[in-house]
Amino acid sequence: MVFAAKKFINNPNDVVTEFIEGLVETYHGLQYLDGFPEVKVVIRADVSAEKYDKVAVISGGGSGHEPAHAGYVGEGMLTAAICGDVFASPPVDSILAGIRAVTGTEGCLLIVKNYTGDRLNFGLAAEQAKSEGYKVETVIVGEDCALPPPRGIAGRRGLAGTVLVHKVAGAAAEAGLSLEKVAAEAKCASEIVGTMGVALSVCTLPGQVTSDRLGEEKMELGLGIHGEPGAAVVDVQPVDVVVSHVLQQILNPETNYVPITRGNRVVLMVNGLGGTPLMELMIAAGKAVPKLQLEFGLAVDRVYTGFFMTSLDMAGFSISIMKADQSILDRLDAPTKAPNWPVGTDGNRPPAKIHVPVPPSRSIAESHNRPQELSKEGRILEAAIQAAATVIISLKDSLNEWDAKVGDGDCGSTMYRGATAILEDMKKYYPLNDAAETVNEIGSSIKRAMGGTSGIIYHLLCKAAYAELKANAQSEVTAKHWSEALKSSITSVSKYGGATAGYRTMLDALIPASQVLEEKLSAGEDPISAFILSAEAATAGAESTIQMQAQAGRSSYVSAEILATVPDPGAMAAAGWYSAAARAVKEQCQSSS
């Protein structure tokens, strides 16, 4: 049985009107004409045809491309946006209603994306408006660079570059230019911009079934914003390769889609098509800028990255490149109250970003190296660290498996990164004859390599142990000192992490170990035996977490039924390295005696 894609909607037929209602509730500078459901027009709330003394800039088209076009209504950009149904051109009557609502004595400019339905409906509306006495000019935007030069009358498709044309025209109109001059600037802008899109999936219309046209390992180059087929379907490629291909296609001198040559100034727009995370868009932008600068010899004066003209939930992005001069930049930088035009992007960019150096620590950093010759204590410490890290590496898959049920599934991988860093750094940097400084260096390795909450907790643990051991640096480090260091570590982790015994965390292994170690040493037990017994307590404590209800960490969101199937992975990891270290110390002491 095939089901419609899951969406947060009511009736699929009402999505456009309900979107408009939400939009005007969100932005008080916007209003809509009272003509639902036939007339779906968003206008500036401060504009009326009777009093408006500037050129009105109007655009629109099928819905499903939000924030285009209604999100660009506002002072300094569009005066009105005409919304069709999803992927359907708005009817003539809606376009006429928009023209009549906002067009004053200075006339209006219609900016139309190059699709047959849009051209016909906006064209007919323009002719009707002219017959009613309105001054109307039209600019068609077709800046698609994905397909070969057309031989027929369809021409190139209008894509996200249209938004840049909106901004240029809106700023010109706000500056008080005549209709002819505003239209001329918009037409010029439309002729110096090129766009190409790529996608990992096609979009899903409200109430319809998701298409699997592309499959899991394919991507499409040059598809349109309505999901119409593009130039080619290829295997999924790294974003570096994709960006290079798109830039080459837009700037190809053979097709000459945009009049851009080496030495020119340009504006870059990286536009998400609806289902691509902003992180991935920023990665694409970060790769595109240096390629434009170094490979194509262009000065990148502005970069706009975000969602400008989407295709519902399509996973993909488009890149637009516009040739720039100071007049274009001035129009793009001009103030606007359009809610979805990006802020913080105006002003001249430096030719190259100079990275700000990381401020140094205020504490005096000592550089350490591994001693050429290890003392007896140094050999014991090395063996303990080696054994502890090796066990963690061997537990990686088990820890991940447990964590997948009660957390985010990466406990083993996180601990593995820390353990491998410790083993690598120990070969060169750990001053193993100095217990305190070695513990401090372990903390540095963890901080650098582990990340996440576990990394912070273990770094805290090491810092507290270091401080305790450092306080006794004048004397030989004894088992009692190690016991106090463990106790201080637990106190620090509990203080900042908020957990204590019974919370189903790593402390459920370390607290019993610390208690047994302190108890046995105070009773005069042999330190090695005390260490082994405390390790057994750590293991028992870790295994007992299977009976505990989590009160800290991600496990606290998991049901008791699931928690009862596995022990806490953090506690098992702590018991693992602690027990391995205890066994290694015992073996090392026995072999040297």
Side-chain angles (χ1 to χ4, degrees):
M1 185 177 293
V2 178
F3 295 96
K6 292 184 285 188
K7 302 281 184 181
F8 288 111
I9 61 173
N10 297 305
N11 187 329
N13 296 321
D14 296 335
V15 293
V16 179
T17 55
E18 291 184 351
F19 155 72
I20 292 172
E21 288 170 345
L23 184 75
V24 301
E25 290 290 355
T26 303
Y27 301 109
H28 63 80
L30 305 182
Q31 189 52 277
Y32 63 85
L33 298 184
D34 186 15
F36 286 173
E38 290 80 13
V39 174
K40 297 181 280 290
V41 178
V42 177
I43 65 173
R44 284 174 51 181
D46 61 337
V47 169
S48 63
E50 295 78 16
K51 299 179 181 178
Y52 197 52
D53 60 356
K54 294 178 180 178
V55 172
V57 180
I58 301 172
S59 189
S63 296
H65 306 301
E66 292 71 29
H69 299 81
Y72 302 116
V73 174
E75 182 180 312
M77 213 161 171
L78 298 183
T79 321
I82 321 299
C83 304
D85 290 329
V86 174
F87 292 174
S89 178
V92 173
D93 287 346
S94 286
I95 301 167
L96 268 173
I99 293 172
R100 293 166 181 154
V102 298
T103 304
T105 56
E106 297 303 308
C108 71
L109 171 66
L110 304 181
I111 299 176
V112 184
K113 299 191 304 299
N114 188 32
Y115 294 97
T116 302
D118 286 350
R119 286 203 321 269
L120 291 174
N121 285 317
F122 275 88
L124 183 54
E127 294 305 314
Q128 177 65 33
K130 289 176 184 176
S131 72
E132 295 178 11
Y134 292 98
K135 294 191 294 183
V136 183
E137 292 286 345
T138 303
V139 169
I140 307 293
V141 182
E143 90 285 11
D144 182 15
C145 298
L147 303 175
R151 298 190 182 99
I153 62 171
R156 296 156 63 191
R157 299 172 294 194
L159 301 173
T162 307
V163 177
L164 297 173
V165 179
H166 289 164
K167 185 63 176 66
V168 170
E174 190 61 33
L177 271 64
S178 67
L179 176 60
E180 292 72 20
K181 290 183 177 179
V182 172
E185 287 202 21
K187 187 173 189 302
C188 175
S190 73
E191 293 171 346
I192 57 174
V193 62
T195 299
M196 179 176 171
V198 296
L200 302 175
S201 71
V202 296
C203 54
T204 306
L205 274 67
Q208 295 192 16
V209 176
T210 302
S211 168
D212 60 354
R213 187 179 89 207
L214 294 184
E216 291 186 3
E217 298 181 359
K218 297 293 182 180
M219 61 186 294
E220 190 156 5
L221 306 175
L223 77 173
I225 54 173
H226 310 98
E228 60 268 38
V233 175
V234 300
D235 291 338
V236 173
Q237 301 289 324
V239 71
D240 262 346
V241 177
V242 176
V243 168
S244 292
H245 176 82
V246 171
L247 296 182
Q248 189 64 52
Q249 189 76 10
I250 296 172
L251 299 170
N252 188 341
E254 294 181 8
T255 54
N256 197 31
Y257 274 141
V258 284
I260 296 174
T261 56
R262 296 185 74 86
N264 285 161
R265 304 162 71 183
V266 297
V267 167
L268 168 69
M269 173 182 279
V270 179
N271 167 60
L273 292 174
T276 303
L278 186 59
M279 175 186 287
E280 295 176 26
L281 300 181
M282 289 298 176
I283 292 172
K287 301 305 177 185
V289 171
K291 288 180 186 293
L292 288 170
Q293 293 170 327
L294 301 176
E295 297 177 20
F296 295 91
L298 302 173
V300 183
D301 280 338
R302 301 289 184 276
V303 178
Y304 305 107
T305 303
F307 299 95
F308 300 96
M309 185 176 288
T310 64
S311 183
L312 293 170
D313 57 355
M314 184 182 290
F317 67 91
S318 65
I319 289 179
S320 301
I321 306 171
M322 173 180 270
K323 185 177 181 179
D325 58 20
Q326 195 55 51
S327 63
I328 288 287
L329 297 177
D330 287 344
R331 295 303 188 210
L332 295 175
D333 289 348
T336 178
K337 292 182 180 179
N340 288 110
W341 179 254
V343 298
T345 54
D346 56 328
N348 293 326
R349 299 179 73 254
K353 286 278 188 177
I354 300 173
H355 301 297
V356 179
V358 177
S361 170
R362 290 185 176 182
S363 60
I364 300 172
E366 275 185 70
S367 95
H368 294 290
N369 292 299
R370 180 187 174 91
Q372 291 185 347
E373 185 173 342
L374 295 181
S375 64
K376 176 183 176 182
E377 291 75 16
R379 288 193 298 272
I380 293 173
L381 187 53
E382 179 185 41
I385 296 169
Q386 179 85 32
T390 302
V391 161
I392 288 299
I393 290 171
S394 71
L395 285 173
K396 175 186 173 184
D397 291 341
S398 295
L399 293 173
N400 278 342
E401 183 180 345
W402 292 327
D403 197 38
K405 295 181 178 180
V406 298
D408 51 10
D410 68 348
C411 177
S413 299
T414 302
M415 297 293 293
Y416 175 89
R417 288 197 299 272
T420 52
I422 287 168
L423 290 179
E424 190 62 33
D425 291 350
M426 186 169 66
K427 298 174 185 177
K428 300 177 181 178
Y429 306 120
Y430 290 3
L432 293 161
N433 293 339
D434 186 328
E437 293 298 340
T438 297
V439 170
N440 196 38
E441 288 297 321
I442 291 173
S444 297
S445 300
I446 288 170
K447 180 176 72 170
R448 173 177 56 82
M450 273 181 68
T453 303
S454 296
I456 296 171
I457 288 174
Y458 273 100
H459 189 215
L460 273 172
L461 187 145
C462 290
K463 278 294 183 185
Y466 165 72
E468 186 66 36
L469 293 171
K470 195 69 173 176
N472 298 289
Q474 305 306 318
S475 59
E476 179 185 349
V477 177
T478 65
K480 182 74 171 175
H481 293 145
W482 281 110
S483 176
E484 291 298 322
L486 177 58
K487 190 174 180 179
S488 293
S489 297
I490 291 168
T491 301
S492 178
V493 170
S494 182
K495 174 183 177 182
Y496 292 105
T500 186
Y503 275 43
R504 206 179 199 273
T505 70
M506 63 182 284
L507 294 186
D508 288 304
L510 296 182
I511 289 174
S514 176
Q515 290 171 343
V516 169
L517 184 61
E518 183 178 23
E519 176 188 320
K520 296 301 180 183
L521 291 175
S522 298
E525 186 89 36
D526 171 67
I528 303 302
S529 299
F531 198 0
I532 293 295
L533 290 170
S534 69
E536 293 172 0
T539 301
E543 292 174 347
S544 72
T545 58
I546 199 169
Q547 303 164 1
M548 296 178 185
Q549 179 63 44
Q551 299 182 60
R554 286 188 173 89
S555 293
S556 60
Y557 307 122
V558 178
S559 69
E561 290 77 12
I562 295 175
L563 292 176
T565 63
V566 292
D568 179 69
M572 294 300 289
W577 63 255
Y578 189 94
S579 298
R583 291 191 299 269
V585 169
K586 180 180 180 181
E587 291 169 8
Q588 190 70 26
C589 290
Q590 287 176 342
S591 64
S592 61
S593 59

